[in-house]
Amino acid sequence: VVHCPGDERGENNSKSFTLDVGLPASTVVINEVMYDPKSPQSEWVELYNTSAAAVDLSSFRIVSHGGSSKIRTGSLVLPGGFVVFCKDSSVARLHGGPINLFIQTVPSLNNAGGGLGLYDNLGNLLDTIDYRPSYGGDTGRYLDRIDYLDASD
């Protein structure tokens, strides 16, 4: 607040504003990726919430060299929870138990290798991964992050 002698309008002596701050990096991470599925399975991406609070994924983006997918409104991941994004329910057969599945397209994933990025609703980068066929994903198996609290390389 700046004091100006003789200022007769005290209501304009301060200004309020809202500052939107994104989530810290690695709050939500890319945990598993199926980039080269066997037919009739579809590509999918699993995210993990590393934090102790629920995270609303609405308007987050999953980005690859093949495009970008905006996560729908109402996509919530609980603390320490997992969520899978796939264009259909074919991924449910891979997991032995119930999964938190959101039926939604993911960006096209290059079978020869590539990268993925996860951005929050403000455009801040939360996580990235690179993948290559030499990692074993070209055999119809998904790639699994070894430690979701560590860098993805």
Side-chain angles (χ1 to χ4, degrees):
V1 176
V2 177
H3 178 66
C4 298
D7 184 5
E8 296 177 10
R9 295 184 59 204
E11 71 273 3
N12 68 358
N13 286 348
S14 64
K15 174 75 175 160
S16 297
F17 63 93
T18 301
L19 177 62
D20 290 327
V21 178
L23 295 170
S26 299
T27 298
V28 179
V29 297
I30 301 165
N31 190 55
E32 293 179 356
V33 176
M34 170 57 82
Y35 71 89
D36 191 6
K38 300 271 186 206
S39 183
Q41 192 181 8
S42 298
E43 295 177 334
W44 52 268
V45 175
E46 180 186 77
L47 304 180
Y48 173 68
N49 179 359
T50 66
S51 77
V55 175
D56 182 359
L57 300 173
S58 300
S59 298
F60 279 39
R61 289 193 167 279
I62 300 171
V63 178
S64 77
H65 298 293
S68 173
S69 293
K70 184 177 177 182
I71 297 175
R72 286 191 205 113
T73 300
S75 301
L76 186 72
V77 60
L78 298 176
F82 298 88
V83 61
V84 176
F85 293 93
C86 185
K87 73 176 183 178
D88 57 39
S89 62
S90 64
V91 65
R93 290 187 293 271
L94 289 179
H95 294 268
I99 59 171
N100 194 9
L101 175 64
F102 288 101
I103 305 295
Q104 170 174 337
T105 58
V106 295
S108 178
L109 304 175
N110 187 339
N111 293 348
L116 279 175
L118 177 65
Y119 294 82
D120 70 12
N121 60 325
L122 299 174
N124 300 309
L125 180 64
L126 295 179
D127 192 34
T128 62
I129 65 157
D130 289 316
Y131 61 90
R132 297 178 182 88
S134 62
Y135 296 169
D138 62 338
T139 59
R141 293 181 300 192
Y142 62 89
L143 300 180
D144 191 5
R145 187 181 206 127
I146 294 171
D147 182 355
Y148 36 74
L149 299 178
D150 200 3
S152 63
D153 58 323

